[in-house]
């Protein structure tokens, strides 16, 4: 029963991130083949799904590409990069992306602060006050 709940958290993450059924099945199959017990976490950010730690780099890269690409291609630069060089886009998704959650009223940056990162809002809304 515990293992079923743990695998369910992985499936929930894959579903919420709209990972294709084919890749999701490959990831779950890999974990089952290696008899890995997936640790249950309430949060559904990739770095909090401990089970993903055992994924080979190739599956991890495919997962990150499928999760992050839909948000990035809304930006003209990333849309053109994906069309011109998908390998470069996989690299961006693999090495330059991460997930963060902000609570209501929480600041991610403030006016006058030097930019060190680019943020892409995938749900909710942001208000900028200069």
């Amino acid at each position: 029963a515990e293992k079923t709940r743990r695998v369910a958290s992985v499936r929930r993450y894959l579903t919420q991130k709209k990972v294709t059924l084919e890749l999701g099945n490959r990831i779950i199959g890999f974990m089952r083949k290696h008899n890995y017990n997936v640790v249950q976490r309430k949060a559904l950010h990739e770095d909090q799904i401990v089970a993903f730690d055992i994924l080979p780099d190739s599956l991890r890269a495919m997962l990150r590409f499928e999760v992050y690409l839909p948000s990035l291609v809304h930006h003209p630069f990333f849309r053109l990069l994906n069309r011109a060089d998908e390998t470069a886009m996989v690299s961006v998704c693999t090495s330059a992306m991460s997930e963060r959650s902000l609570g209501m009223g929480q600041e991610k940056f403030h006016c006058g602060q030097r930019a060190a990162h680019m943020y892409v809002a995938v749900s909710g809304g942001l208000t900028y006050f200069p």
Side-chain angles (χ1 to χ4, degrees), residues 72-73 75-86 89:
L72 289 174
V73 295
H75 190 287
F77 172 78
F78 293 114
R79 186 172 42 254
L80 290 173
L81 178 62
N82 188 49
R83 288 181 190 154
D85 189 352
E86 188 174 278
M89 198 63 195

Side-chain angles (χ1 to χ4, degrees), residues 42-59:
K42 288 183 181 181
L44 292 176
H45 294 309
E46 176 194 348
D47 61 355
Q48 296 170 315
I49 305 291
V50 177
F52 291 159
D53 291 348
I54 68 163
L55 291 178
D57 290 342
S58 59
L59 275 181

Side-chain angles (χ1 to χ4, degrees), residues 11-30:
R11 287 189 188 281
R12 197 168 120 222
Y13 174 87
L14 297 173
T15 300
Q16 285 185 1
K17 299 303 179 179
K18 296 182 173 106
V19 172
T20 60
L21 183 60
E22 179 186 354
L23 179 57
N25 286 338
R26 286 183 62 196
I27 290 169
I28 294 295
F30 179 86

